[in-house]
Amino acid sequence: MKRKWEAKLKQIEERASSYERKPLSSVYRPRLSKVEEPPSIWKLFSRQTQAFNFVKSCKEDVHVFALECEVGDGQRIYLVTTYVQLWFYYKSRKNLLHCYEVIPEKAVCKLYFDLEFNKLANPGADGKKMVASLIEHVCKALQELYRVNCSAEYVLNLDSSTDEKFSRHLIFQLHGVAFQDNIHVGNFVRKILEPAIHLLASEDDKDDGGIPETTGHGFSHFSEAPGEQGTPFSRMPADELRESQMLDSGAPERLGAAERSSPDLSFLIVKDTTGKKHLFVDLGK
C-alpha cells in the first residue's frame, strides 16, 4: 500500500514539474503562422477608432474589418486581424459572412459599388441586367475620362441577395490603377451618374407638383462613414500600389466630357417599400 502511494506521489510531482516547465495557456490564441513567425492577431473592438489605433501599434500587416453583431440591426464590432487569418475562419464561420474591410480615410482604394433594391417593391426589375448595364456604363466612362480599359471580366461581382432584396457589391479590379482615396471614388461615381441623379430629382419634383430641378447636386464623400467599404480584401498590395497610376477625379475638363452625351440611366431608378423612388446605386449621404 505504501509503495503504491509513493509511486502515485511521484507521478503527481513529475506532472507538476512538467506543467511548471510548460504551463498551460490561459487564453487560447489561434495560430496560423509558422513557429519562427510572429503569433497571429485576432482582436475585437467596440469602436472603429480603437481598432485603428491598435493597428498603428502593430508591426504585423493587419487590417480592420466591421462585423454585424446581429444581422440587420446595424450594430457593428470591429475586428483587427490579417487577411490570411480572416480568410481561414471566414470559410467556416457563418457569423463572419456579414463583414467587410474598413478602408482608412485617405487610403488609396479601388472603384466599388453597393447595389440594392427591394424585390417586392420592384417586381419588374431585372437585377442581373441592371448590373450588366451599369458595368458597361462605368467601363465606358473609365475609357473616356482616363483611357483605362475595363470590361465585365475585370469586375468582382459579389452577390448578397436574399428573398426580400436584390443586393450586389462590385469591385473593379483595374490593372495598375487605383483612385487616390474614397472621396475621389465618390466624385467619379456621382459625376458619371449625373443623368440618373437629375432624372430622379425631376421625377420627385413632378410627384410633388413642382418644377423639375436639375441643378444643385454637389459631390461629397462617397459614404457617410469615412472610408468604409462593403467587402473584404479591397485594397491593392503595397508594392502594387506604389507602381499604380492614381486616378484623379478633380480634372473638370475631362469630367465635363461626360456631359456631352447623356446616356439613358433610367434603369437605375427603383422604389423602396413605401413607393419612394431612389437609385439602385448607394451614393451614401
Side-chain angles (χ1 to χ4, degrees):
M1 184 71 177
K2 184 178 180 180
R3 291 180 180 177
K4 289 183 178 180
W5 172 250
E6 290 177 347
K8 189 71 173 178
L9 182 61
K10 185 177 181 180
Q11 290 179 355
I12 294 174
E13 290 175 346
E14 289 177 350
R15 183 169 297 181
S17 176
S18 174
Y19 287 152
E20 287 179 357
R21 294 193 305 271
K22 298 179 180 179
L24 295 175
S25 176
S26 58
V27 179
Y28 170 70
R29 292 184 175 87
R31 187 182 183 90
L32 301 180
S33 55
K34 298 179 181 178
V35 177
E36 66 273 12
E37 295 178 348
S40 58
I41 295 177
W42 186 277
K43 195 170 181 63
L44 296 173
F45 298 89
S46 59
R47 295 184 179 276
Q48 187 181 124
T49 53
Q50 295 174 336
F52 277 113
N53 287 337
F54 178 73
V55 168
K56 294 177 182 177
S57 68
C58 294
K59 295 181 180 179
E60 295 81 6
D61 184 21
V62 293
H63 307 268
V64 177
F65 302 90
L67 311 176
E68 289 190 25
C69 298
E70 295 291 339
V71 177
D73 69 354
Q75 296 296 319
R76 289 173 173 77
I77 55 176
Y78 298 92
L79 165 68
V80 175
T81 188
T82 63
Y83 287 145
V84 173
Q85 185 88 350
L86 179 74
W87 181 241
F88 179 83
Y89 291 109
Y90 185 88
K91 294 183 293 184
S92 58
R93 293 189 179 182
K94 291 184 178 180
N95 60 338
L96 289 179
L97 294 180
H98 297 274
C99 75
Y100 55 87
E101 183 181 359
V102 182
I103 304 301
E105 189 176 11
K106 298 181 180 179
V108 175
C109 64
K110 295 182 178 181
L111 176 61
Y112 63 94
F113 291 84
D114 289 334
L115 313 174
E116 183 177 312
F117 67 78
N118 183 278
K119 292 181 179 179
L120 294 178
N122 301 273
D126 186 339
K128 292 183 179 180
K129 185 176 180 180
M130 292 163 65
V131 171
S133 297
L134 175 63
I135 291 175
E136 182 180 357
H137 174 64
V138 174
C139 289
K140 183 178 180 181
L142 286 169
Q143 176 61 39
E144 290 180 350
L145 300 179
Y146 301 116
R147 299 295 184 266
V148 172
N149 294 325
C150 177
S151 69
E153 296 179 356
Y154 294 7
V155 181
L156 182 60
N157 191 340
L158 303 175
D159 188 356
S160 58
S161 301
T162 65
D163 293 337
E164 293 78 24
K165 70 176 183 179
F166 179 92
S167 179
R168 294 290 178 90
H169 306 283
L170 309 181
I171 303 175
F172 282 69
Q173 311 277 42
L174 305 176
H175 295 314
V177 296
F179 279 85
Q180 181 174 328
D181 55 35
N182 199 41
I183 297 177
H184 283 81
V185 171
N187 289 343
F188 169 75
V189 170
R190 291 175 185 274
K191 189 62 183 180
I192 67 173
L193 296 186
E194 266 194 341
I197 295 173
H198 291 171
L199 178 60
L200 179 63
S202 175
E203 293 191 2
D204 285 343
D205 287 332
K206 288 180 180 179
D207 292 340
D208 294 337
I211 300 175
E213 177 65 53
T214 58
T215 60
H217 294 277
F219 307 133
S220 58
H221 291 269
F222 192 38
S223 57
E224 184 175 4
E228 288 200 1
Q229 183 162 327
T231 183
F233 321 123
S234 58
R235 289 188 298 167
M236 302 171 72
D239 56 345
E240 188 176 343
L241 282 175
R242 286 193 292 269
E243 300 175 359
S244 299
Q245 172 190 352
M246 298 295 180
L247 298 183
D248 182 6
S249 65
E253 66 278 4
R254 287 180 297 160
L255 289 176
E259 297 180 351
R260 298 192 189 106
S261 60
S262 296
D264 181 11
L265 300 182
S266 58
F267 68 91
L268 292 177
I269 298 179
V270 293
K271 296 180 180 179
D272 61 17
T273 54
T274 66
K276 183 176 178 59
K277 295 178 181 179
H278 63 94
L279 291 185
F280 179 39
V281 180
D282 182 7
L283 297 180
K285 302 297 182 181

